[in-house]
């Protein structure tokens, strides 16, 4: 079972879609973190179906530094861009990707 009702899915490998979501919220992530990132490469993610989709994404931001993003993607018919809800900084490659 890949998704529990109301819960987050299992961890999945990133596709082009998740990288595009990250690209859309990069400026806000840098603003909230208080710094510019050398890179912004999504590595893995989890989803939660709500009235839209929540994405929990592990992103490599330079060297061995990672951040975790919680991003809300509204339903397609709404025509709205993804919204960065929260960011966790100072994460590492092996840190668990858990809701925060």
């Amino acid at each position: 079972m890949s998704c529990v009702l109301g819960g987050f899915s299992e961890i999945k490998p990133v596709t082009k879609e998740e990288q595009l979501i990250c690209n859309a919220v990069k400026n806000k992530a840098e603003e909230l973190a208080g710094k510019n990132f050398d890179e912004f490469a999504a590595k893995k993610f989890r989803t939660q179906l709500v009235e839209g989709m929540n994405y929990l994404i592990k992103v490599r931001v330079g060297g061995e530094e990672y951040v975790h993003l919680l991003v809300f993607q509204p339903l397609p018919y709404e025509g709205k861009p993804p919204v960065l809800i929260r960011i966790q900084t100072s994460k590492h490659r092996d840190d668990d990707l858990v809701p925060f």
Side-chain angles (χ1 to χ4, degrees):
M1 179 184 232
S2 65
C3 187
V4 176
L5 184 59
F8 276 89
S9 70
E10 295 176 11
I11 294 172
K12 305 174 194 176
V14 169
T15 68
K16 185 177 180 180
E17 178 181 352
E18 290 79 36
Q19 185 60 56
L20 290 173
I21 289 169
C22 286
N23 294 348
V25 300
K26 181 182 182 207
N27 289 342
K28 185 66 174 178
E30 290 176 330
E31 177 186 326
L32 292 175
K35 64 180 183 176
N36 293 327
F37 298 124
D38 294 334
E39 63 180 292
F40 209 69
K43 295 299 181 181
K44 52 187 168 180
F45 75 103
R46 300 173 72 183
T47 57
Q48 178 187 39
L49 183 60
V50 291
E51 288 189 31
M53 188 71 75
N54 284 329
Y55 287 86
L56 185 55
I57 309 171
K58 180 181 287 283
V59 180
R60 184 174 175 172
V61 294
E64 293 301 315
E65 187 179 353
Y66 290 76
V67 296
H68 290 177
L69 306 178
L70 179 60
V71 180
F72 174 70
Q73 175 66 63
L75 293 168
Y77 76 85
E78 294 181 45
K80 295 180 181 177
V83 178
L84 179 61
I85 304 299
R86 289 188 205 106
I87 182 171
Q88 286 185 326
T89 58
S90 302
K91 303 304 273 183
H92 300 94
R93 181 184 60 161
D94 295 329
D95 288 340
D96 290 335
L97 189 56
V98 296
F100 59 96

